[in-house]
Amino acid sequence: MLLPHQPLQDTAVVPPQRVPSREEAGPWHAEAVCRRDEAGLFFAPSKEPTAARLAREEAAKRVCARCPVVIECREHALMQPEPYGVWGGLTAAERRVVLARRRRRETELQRSARMQAAG
């Protein structure tokens, strides 16, 4: 019970502040550095010369390198899978290599598990 001479702030209990997790803070792409850059940097125009494509992709990868959600972006692009553009610091061709390696690793793990179960 408050007495008339007691200030309110002396009796109020303020819950401690906590930093929300990334999931609570909103979707990962809201924090993506590329949201502030030109989308053309991450996606190839039609009939782009090879030298221009390589330079553009390297510039996009530099943006990705300073991004706080690069891992989330990369995993999104691998799980979808995104067929075009630079996502999570990887080109479409680089993502295909990563996916092929993951499939091989999964196949090897399954084969190993079957062999252990059989023997």
Side-chain angles (χ1 to χ4, degrees):
M1 177 172 170
L2 287 176
L3 299 175
H5 63 279
Q6 284 182 305
L8 182 60
Q9 65 267 20
D10 286 346
T11 60
V13 176
V14 178
Q17 296 292 320
R18 70 177 186 85
V19 177
S21 69
R22 183 161 286 160
E23 292 79 27
E24 293 172 329
W28 63 265
H29 47 80
E31 297 178 49
V33 173
C34 63
R35 290 177 60 91
R36 295 180 289 276
D37 287 304
E38 191 175 313
L41 186 61
F42 297 90
F43 295 95
S46 61
K47 300 179 183 178
E48 181 179 36
T50 301
R53 177 182 53 81
L54 293 173
R56 180 188 49 72
E57 288 173 345
E58 285 305 312
K61 288 179 180 185
R62 285 193 298 275
V63 172
C64 293
R66 66 177 198 269
C67 185
V69 294
V70 68
I71 300 301
E72 292 90 337
C73 179
R74 181 177 300 156
E75 285 305 311
H76 163 83
L78 291 167
M79 297 310 290
Q80 287 306 313
E82 292 288 350
Y84 306 106
V86 174
W87 289 79
L90 298 176
T91 64
E94 292 165 336
R95 290 192 303 276
R96 285 190 295 273
V97 169
V98 169
L99 288 171
R101 286 180 182 160
R102 284 185 180 183
R103 282 190 296 270
R104 271 194 307 273
R105 187 177 326 121
E106 184 62 31
T107 301
E108 289 169 7
L109 289 172
Q110 289 173 353
R111 185 178 305 132
S112 176
R114 282 193 305 266
M115 289 175 64
Q116 286 180 350

